[in-house]
């Protein structure tokens, strides 16, 4: 069942979204060579606290931290620890914020120092695929329109969409209906209505789509151990343009993107 949010609920979710965005930005700035992933987790948790928000992920189905931190071939759900980041790594940061029983959720993949041109292109394409999906999040369209927009952009650029994990509705539940796959056919699935809040979150692999879960029972990695990127915004469907509730105060194309590179 899809819950449409009231105006007061949306106002609280905007606060959650701002906490998420500021936590992502602060963690991204700290994602430098030699930083440990647990240090990023502490930064993220303290930014949430400064917004009066609790970490939605901590204890969710037993997850032990505030932030999912996934490096290189790790797709999502990595557990923070003493692993130091290295020049050329990419680090996916995914964080949820809860205020008054409502949630916000967002993710961003940052580069650590300078990364290869190939890896930067994966980040550019994945970020752009998120915006291609968001552009479809309009009243009267369907979930499948979002899914198809993400998939077709990604595959046109030569990458693979992870099938085992999908985006989701959000509100009082961290994960609510509807599911928002990053693959699918246009004109299918639930029809979008004002007040729907969804998380669109392409998880995109440089190589093949296959993933597996490590022995820690959380960390999802690519089967071929090639790198993977993840970008997520929480979006509200409105009467007009989609509202990005986790908008980050960092410039788009912050990886030195040019259109020519993306379309190569
Ligand atoms: Mg999510």
């Amino acid at each position: 069942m899809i819950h449409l949010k009231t105006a007061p609920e949306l106002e609280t979710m905007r606060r959650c979204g701002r906490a998420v965005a500021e936590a992502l930005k602060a963690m991204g700035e700290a994602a430098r060579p030699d930083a440990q992933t647990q240090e990023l987790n502490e930064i993220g948790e303290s930014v949430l606290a400064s917004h009066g928000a609790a970490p939605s992920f901590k204890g969710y189905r037993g997850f032990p931290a505030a932030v999912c931190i996934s490096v290189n071939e790790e797709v999502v759900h990595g557990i923070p620890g003493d692993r130091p980041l290295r020049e050329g790594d990419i680090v996916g940061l995914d964080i949820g914020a809860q205020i008054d029983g409502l949630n916000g959720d967002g993710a961003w993949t940052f580069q650590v120092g300078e990364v290869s041109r190939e890896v930067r292109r994966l980040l550019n394409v994945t970020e752009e695929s998120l915006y291609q999906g968001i552009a479809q999040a309009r009243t009267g369209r369907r979930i499948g329109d979002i899914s198809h927009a993400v998939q077709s952009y990604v595959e046109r650029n030569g990458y693979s969409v992870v099938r085992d994990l999908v985006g989701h509705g959000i509100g009082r539940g961290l994960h609510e209906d509807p599911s928002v796959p990053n693959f699918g056919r246009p004109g299918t699935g639930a029809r979008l209505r004002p007040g729907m809040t969804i998380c669109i979150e392409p998880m995109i692999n440089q190589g093949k789509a296959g993933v597996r879960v490590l022995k820690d029972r959380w960390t999802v990695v690519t089967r071929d151990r090639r790198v993977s990127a993840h970008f997520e915004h929480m979006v509200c469907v409105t009467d007009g343009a989609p509202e990005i509730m986790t908008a980050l105060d960092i410039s788009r194309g912050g990886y030195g993107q040019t259109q020519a590179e993306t379309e190569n």
Side-chain angles (χ1 to χ4, degrees):
M1 177 178 173
I2 296 172
H3 298 284
L4 302 179
K5 274 69 185 184
T6 64
E9 286 174 327
L10 291 174
E11 199 42 58
T12 300
M13 290 180 71
R14 284 185 193 101
R15 288 174 56 206
C16 296
R18 275 195 293 276
V20 163
E22 290 196 17
L24 288 173
K25 188 182 180 203
M27 291 188 288
E29 284 167 357
R32 299 208 184 91
D34 298 327
Q36 295 178 340
T37 56
Q38 62 197 10
E39 295 169 353
L40 303 185
N41 180 74
E42 283 165 24
I43 291 168
E45 196 162 358
S46 70
V47 172
L48 294 191
S50 74
H51 285 259
S56 307
F57 295 178
K58 203 173 188 176
Y60 183 82
R61 296 179 183 159
F63 189 76
V67 191
C68 295
I69 303 186
S70 309
V71 180
N72 296 341
E73 77 282 359
E74 297 173 352
V75 179
V76 286
H77 302 169
I79 299 173
D82 58 8
R83 175 179 184 165
L85 298 175
R86 300 200 188 287
E87 177 89 20
D89 283 348
I90 55 171
V91 57
L93 305 170
D94 189 355
I95 188 167
Q98 188 173 84
I99 298 173
D100 295 341
L102 288 152
N103 291 281
D105 183 10
W108 211 257
T109 301
F110 293 91
Q111 60 184 64
V112 180
E114 287 297 311
V115 302
S116 70
R117 186 182 166 85
E118 292 74 27
V119 169
R120 195 163 64 234
R121 183 173 176 275
L122 173 71
L123 296 179
N124 292 340
V125 168
T126 306
E127 182 186 355
E128 177 59 26
S129 76
L130 169 60
Y131 291 102
Q132 296 282 323
I134 290 171
Q136 298 297 319
R138 301 182 76 96
T139 293
R141 299 208 183 145
R142 293 178 182 269
I143 290 292
D145 297 326
I146 298 172
S147 305
H148 177 74
V150 172
Q151 179 184 13
S152 58
Y153 184 79
V154 165
E155 294 181 350
R156 195 159 73 233
N157 278 284
Y159 299 126
S160 303
V161 171
V162 172
R163 306 281 180 133
D164 302 48
L165 299 138
V166 298
H168 52 93
I170 184 168
R172 298 205 173 270
L174 180 60
H175 298 112
E176 296 185 347
D177 288 339
S179 289
V180 186
N182 298 302
F183 54 92
R185 287 185 297 123
T188 63
R191 200 177 283 282
L192 303 178
R193 297 172 60 191
M196 278 178 67
T197 45
I198 55 175
C199 289
I200 303 173
E201 49 177 320
M203 290 154 266
I204 305 304
N205 293 352
Q206 187 181 39
K208 295 205 170 76
V211 298
R212 58 180 288 260
V213 180
L214 295 185
K215 279 206 220 51
D216 65 15
R217 292 170 47 230
W218 279 106
T219 312
V220 178
V221 298
T222 57
R223 281 188 176 273
D224 61 12
R225 301 299 166 117
R226 296 184 73 191
V227 300
S228 183
H230 178 211
F231 290 79
E232 174 180 17
H233 272 314
M234 178 169 76
V235 174
C236 182
V237 179
T238 76
D239 288 326
E243 176 186 349
I244 300 176
M245 304 176 92
T246 45
L248 264 73
D249 180 24
I250 57 175
S251 61
R252 274 192 71 193
Y255 312 108
Q257 177 183 17
T258 66
Q259 198 60 30
E261 274 180 313
T262 304
E263 298 297 336
N264 271 345

